[in-house]
Amino acid sequence: MDAAVSHHTCKELLVSLSDYLDGEAAEALCAEIERHLADCEDCRVVVDTLRKTILLYRTLPPPSPPQTIRARLLHALELDKDAP
Amino acid sequence: MTKELPAPTLLSPELLDEAYEQRLLERIRAGDRTACAECIDLHSAGVYRLALRMVGDPHEAEDIVQETFLNAFRTIDSFEGRSSLSTWLYRIAYNAALMRLRKKQPLHVSIEPYVDEEETATTPVQLFDWCCLPEEDFQTAEARNELERAIGELPEPLRAVFVLRELEGLSTEETAQALDLSVSNVKVRLHRARLWLRERLSGYFTELAQRSQERN
Ligand SMILES: [Zn+2]
């Protein structure tokens, strides 16, 4: 079922996929990547699932600090006492 | 065409206000306690998230937050303002987290220990397209736990880069300053982290997609 992406072009383009997805790849490189994706199912899957991975992390609700952290922190730093 | 990815949205307006930060720094240096509390209110959540994702334990993360601010206020005079205050705080927290990780696994955390492991893990092997899963399958508590767990399993040299650049929304330059890396190194590590996580999550989501296909 699983086969590594090992084709020469695939490996070369793999390095630039973050730039491509971040919109930082030069126009010529984008065109080259898109030409390759039109013919290469494996790379298409990698790009789609990579984009989805980034999207999932960017929309992941951030963990909240415990409610008591502020009070404990102010206490530890002696910021909760009256000024001398 | 590339579909636009949304930018991380954790940055509050005060964090981007340089004039406010300058005044805050002056007040902290003058020993103003309210200024210290303001600094904590503004930055402790971000510092906590970095610490938690580095060490994986909420109590330890809280200890790191405490160490970070204690250390920061004590050495505030040495802060030269070449980076932003938040970048500086992330840097202190990162070093504190790293010290704890090294104490726990002295053999695993050396200069470039995971290079081979990273290389193999970033060559795509999982080639099932799980994007077809219904959106609600990505938003379950189980899926979110899986996303967090995967961050914890990222090879350590990639983890802080991913957290700061992708999750905390620092720029490449700020991430480089916070972690004492070159800009190009940050870019390479971010890319490897994303590939590594894609691979890791593919295992989970592929199984989920195949199970739902069998049901239908
Ligand atoms: Zn290909």
Side-chain angles (χ1 to χ4, degrees):
Chain A
M1 179 197 78
D2 297 331
V5 168
S6 56
H7 192 269
H8 184 62
T9 320
C10 306
K11 279 209 150 180
E12 266 180 20
L13 294 183
L14 184 68
V15 183
S16 312
L17 289 187
S18 271
D19 285 345
Y20 173 67
L21 290 173
D22 291 335
E24 286 173 9
E27 222 171 289
L29 182 60
C30 285
E32 196 188 332
I33 291 174
E34 275 155 27
R35 253 196 321 274
H36 180 77
L37 293 181
D39 291 329
C40 183
E41 171 68 17
D42 286 352
C43 283
R44 211 153 52 219
V45 172
V46 171
V47 168
D48 285 347
T49 50
L50 188 61
R51 181 189 287 120
K52 186 70 185 175
T53 299
I54 298 169
L55 188 67
L56 286 174
Y57 276 110
R58 294 220 177 142
T59 52
L60 181 67
S64 331
Q67 300 243 311
T68 48
I69 194 172
R70 183 179 192 272
R72 279 206 292 264
L73 200 52
L74 294 183
H75 183 71
L77 299 176
E78 301 188 344
L79 295 170
D80 57 348
K81 293 184 187 144
D82 290 330
Chain B
M1 272 307 294
T2 315
K3 273 172 252 157
E4 275 297 311
L5 286 160
T9 50
L10 284 169
L11 299 176
S12 70
E14 287 94 338
L15 288 174
L16 303 168
D17 185 341
E18 278 177 37
Y20 169 80
E21 182 164 306
Q22 210 45 52
R23 279 197 305 277
L24 186 66
L25 273 170
E26 281 161 20
R27 288 167 56 211
I28 296 172
R29 287 197 176 114
D32 178 345
R33 287 157 174 245
T34 1
C36 293
E38 261 176 67
C39 177
I40 286 170
D41 288 341
L42 207 51
H43 297 290
S44 60
V47 168
Y48 176 80
R49 288 190 298 265
L50 172 65
L52 179 65
R53 281 159 164 165
M54 285 302 292
V55 298
D57 175 76
H59 294 290
E60 228 178 324
E62 200 176 327
D63 288 345
I64 292 172
V65 175
Q66 205 162 299
E67 272 172 51
T68 301
F69 284 98
L70 203 62
N71 201 338
F73 295 147
R74 207 181 275 149
T75 59
I76 194 85
D77 286 329
S78 71
F79 174 64
E80 292 169 356
R82 269 183 296 188
S83 67
S84 71
L85 184 56
S86 68
T87 302
W88 186 60
L89 291 168
Y90 280 130
R91 185 189 177 93
I92 299 173
Y94 170 70
N95 286 329
L98 213 55
M99 217 134 80
R100 280 166 186 262
L101 290 174
R102 285 192 178 149
K103 250 180 229 163
K104 272 189 243 170
Q105 306 175 298
L107 294 176
H108 281 201
V109 189
S110 62
I111 305 162
E112 286 289 331
Y114 284 103
V115 172
D116 288 347
E117 205 176 303
E118 278 173 40
E119 286 295 339
T120 43
T122 51
T123 304
V125 175
Q126 299 269 2
L127 294 172
F128 183 87
D129 190 353
W130 42 266
C131 295
C132 54
L133 274 166
E135 194 48 37
E136 60 257 33
D137 281 355
F138 294 113
Q139 305 304 337
T140 61
E142 191 190 73
R144 286 175 177 170
N145 281 338
E146 203 62 26
L147 288 168
E148 284 291 345
R149 203 172 312 141
I151 300 172
E153 290 169 14
L154 259 177
E156 186 274 316
L158 307 183
R159 205 183 308 151
V161 169
F162 184 77
V163 171
L164 291 182
R165 180 78 187 90
E166 198 84 277
L167 305 178
E168 295 298 320
L170 268 62
S171 69
T172 304
E173 288 73 18
E174 289 167 330
T175 307
Q177 282 175 337
L179 304 178
D180 209 6
L181 296 169
S182 69
V183 163
S184 62
N185 204 326
V186 168
K187 286 187 174 178
V188 169
R189 289 189 193 203
L190 176 68
H191 182 56
R192 287 193 181 162
R194 286 166 163 182
L195 288 173
W196 193 98
L197 289 165
R198 188 208 73 89
E199 202 66 26
R200 166 69 176 69
L201 294 180
S202 288
Y204 172 77
F205 287 122
T206 297
E207 210 189 302
L208 210 63
Q210 286 172 342
R211 252 188 284 148
S212 82
Q213 273 177 2
E214 279 163 24
R215 273 199 305 273
N216 297 326

